[in-house]
Amino acid sequence: MLILASTSPYRRELLQRLRLPFECARPEVDETPLAGERPAELVHRLARAKAAAVARLHPQAWVIGSDQAADLDGRILGKPGGQAAALAQLAAMGGRSVLFHTAVCLRRGERELAAADLTRVRFRELSAAEIERYVAAEQPFDCAGSFKCEGLGIALFDAIESQDPTALVGLPLIALAALLRQTGYAVP
């Protein structure tokens, strides 16, 4: 049995690409950053915690935990949750490079495998009107960094530099497929 420790529709859609049967379960994990925690540390800790929380309830299943954070000059930018925060995040990122840390953890019982991806997004200069139009069009309030790169958000960038394009959406499938193969899954 394979379980995705997430209720994210984006992660669910990504995992469906691997054509493996799986279920989803909500991990009951506090996602608040710890004092002084760097973005890379946060995503590793949360990916592991999400996988562990669900694995405790399903000890015979392989559980996938994943997390992502935007890193603007070492400051964590999470999901905006609303329009005002989304507008502010995008205004702060305009004309800048932002790092997106994405971690994935695969766990069954006490066995744990993990991987991470670092994606650099170079935002083009963005006018207030462009930001407002974008936010009104896609309402990316549940996305780290306030955009959907798989949608209209792609028009906000000059470039994306990554080892794994799916990591920016929230689940690094190249790394996950490798972890699954290590545990005996046939992917593809």
Side-chain angles (χ1 to χ4, degrees):
M1 176 190 254
L2 186 63
I3 301 174
L4 177 62
S6 177
T7 57
S8 164
Y10 311 110
R11 289 191 178 109
R12 184 178 60 246
E13 286 176 22
L14 285 170
L15 186 54
Q16 287 172 342
R17 292 183 188 183
L18 297 183
R19 299 183 182 185
L20 297 171
F22 69 94
E23 296 176 12
C24 293
R26 177 183 302 276
E28 298 298 332
V29 172
D30 180 0
E31 297 189 33
T32 306
L34 302 176
E37 192 170 35
R38 307 279 301 159
E41 297 166 343
L42 171 70
V43 299
H44 284 280
R45 178 178 63 81
L46 291 179
R48 293 179 72 217
K50 290 174 184 181
V54 172
R56 279 192 291 279
L57 302 174
H58 303 277
Q60 298 306 312
W62 281 105
V63 179
I64 302 163
S66 187
D67 199 72
Q68 181 184 70
D71 175 348
L72 181 61
D73 300 329
R75 186 170 48 104
I76 297 169
L77 300 178
K79 298 173 185 172
Q83 181 178 1
L87 294 171
Q89 281 188 1
L90 289 169
M93 294 185 294
R96 314 264 319 269
S97 286
V98 181
L99 299 175
F100 285 81
H101 301 269
T102 309
V104 63
C105 177
L106 185 60
R107 184 179 183 117
R108 183 171 72 185
E110 296 302 312
R111 185 171 177 205
E112 181 179 278
L113 302 165
D117 182 84
L118 180 63
T119 300
R120 179 181 307 275
V121 177
R122 288 187 296 148
F123 284 81
R124 60 185 187 75
E125 291 290 339
L126 301 170
S127 71
E130 287 175 312
I131 293 170
E132 288 174 15
R133 282 195 312 271
Y134 171 71
V135 169
E138 282 203 315
Q139 300 181 0
F141 308 137
D142 62 346
C143 301
S146 303
F147 65 83
K148 297 179 183 180
C149 66
E150 67 278 22
L152 183 59
I154 200 74
L156 303 173
F157 312 140
D158 279 331
I160 298 173
E161 302 163 8
S162 181
Q163 300 271 333
D164 185 341
T166 60
L168 189 55
V169 182
L171 185 64
L173 289 183
I174 293 171
L176 177 58
L179 296 178
L180 288 165
R181 284 191 296 272
Q182 289 178 45
T183 65
Y185 279 90
V187 182

